[in-house]
Amino acid sequence: MLDVVFADRAVAFDPGTLVVADLHVGRAAASDVEVPLGERADLTGRLSDGLDRLGAETVVVAGDVLHEFGRVSQRAAETLDALDEVCRDAGAELVLVAGNHDGVLANAWDRTVHDAYRVDGCARDVLVCHGHEEPEGSADLYVVGHDHPTITIEGQKRPCFLYGENTYRTADVLMLPAFSRVAAGVSVNGMRARDFQSPLVTDADSLRPVVWDQGRHEALTFPPLGRFRRLL
């Protein structure tokens, strides 16, 4: 199985890279929906918790940092600054990878906005990209977001990771759930490859769901979807 550490909507790679996806900063304001304590407090609080638990020198956001396509509101820019401050307070650098929502991200970010980011120091060649289009670089493992996967088990919808071995260009794919709790999740129970928006998903049946159990603080790994959906 994949040699990463799972957490609440995040993964960590040794020797110190934490990856999340789909922050969709500004989503709550755009929809007039607020999660408990507000969007900013929720995002920064959970990111801080993840850094406290896992530690990291680098935090990579795998695209869709922003929600709105055409502008960066003052409130969204302040939330982005607050996320950067959480990372700096933990001694980590925040790295942003562009997603399909991030055409104007450079207006609120004075550092490089990456098309993809290669994780340093891993035993495997790991490339983080958003997953909305095929990446230019090759890798052993592609880490993506974009589809906001969830899985429904016993009537309860849970955010999930999806891991597929040798499923794209003979490489592995790890799809992350949306880190934002406001962004809608898509139930993958009955989805086929054609139903996913990411072109990196070429064989949905081979994708293995991984669910973070918040109560037990552990990752629960299930059989690949092709077998697991028959048990649901």
Side-chain angles (χ1 to χ4, degrees):
M1 182 55 183
L2 189 61
D3 186 20
V4 302
V5 178
F6 291 93
D8 179 20
R9 304 183 187 229
V11 292
F13 293 90
D14 187 54
T17 300
L18 181 70
V19 185
V20 298
D22 295 288
L23 302 184
H24 285 276
V25 170
R27 175 70 172 85
S31 62
D32 296 323
V33 173
E34 289 283 351
V35 295
L37 302 179
E39 178 186 73
R40 185 180 306 162
D42 185 67
L43 289 172
T44 56
R46 288 188 297 111
L47 181 60
S48 180
D49 289 346
L51 284 166
D52 287 345
R53 178 176 176 269
L54 300 172
E57 297 175 359
T58 307
V59 175
V60 184
V61 181
D64 281 4
V65 180
L66 301 176
H67 180 68
E68 292 194 76
F69 289 93
R71 71 185 189 99
V72 183
S73 69
Q74 181 65 32
R75 187 173 180 180
E78 290 171 354
T79 298
L80 189 56
D81 287 342
L83 290 162
D84 189 33
E85 184 176 358
V86 166
C87 294
R88 285 188 279 107
D89 288 347
E93 176 189 8
L94 181 60
V95 172
L96 303 183
V97 173
N100 55 301
H101 280 249
D102 295 324
V104 295
L105 178 57
N107 294 345
W109 189 251
D110 60 4
R111 281 161 273 170
T112 301
V113 176
H114 299 263
D115 292 326
Y117 181 82
R118 202 170 299 276
V119 177
D120 291 331
C122 286
R124 304 179 68 190
D125 186 11
V126 179
L127 190 68
V128 179
C129 54
H130 183 55
H132 62 299
E133 57 188 11
E134 296 197 52
E136 293 185 6
S138 61
D140 298 328
L141 170 66
Y142 295 92
V143 181
V144 303
H146 190 49
D147 272 286
H148 307 177
T150 69
I151 193 159
T152 303
I153 301 174
E154 296 180 345
Q156 185 172 359
K157 189 176 179 181
R158 300 172 181 265
C160 72
F161 306 85
L162 294 173
Y163 174 59
E165 295 184 71
N166 303 315
T167 58
Y168 179 72
R169 298 178 181 172
T170 71
D172 298 353
V173 173
L174 176 62
M175 180 177 283
L176 275 57
F179 193 70
S180 169
R181 293 197 295 175
V182 182
V186 177
S187 180
V188 301
N189 289 53
M191 289 174 63
R192 307 295 179 179
R194 64 180 179 272
D195 301 317
F196 284 83
Q197 296 183 42
S198 175
L200 282 81
V201 177
T202 59
D203 180 7
D205 284 354
S206 70
L207 297 177
R208 185 182 297 271
V210 179
V211 175
W212 176 252
D213 188 316
Q214 189 65 33
R216 295 194 289 181
H217 290 275
E218 65 176 327
L220 306 177
T221 303
F222 295 95
L225 277 175
R227 284 191 285 139
F228 189 44
R229 65 168 58 96
R230 296 195 293 268
L231 306 175
L232 293 171

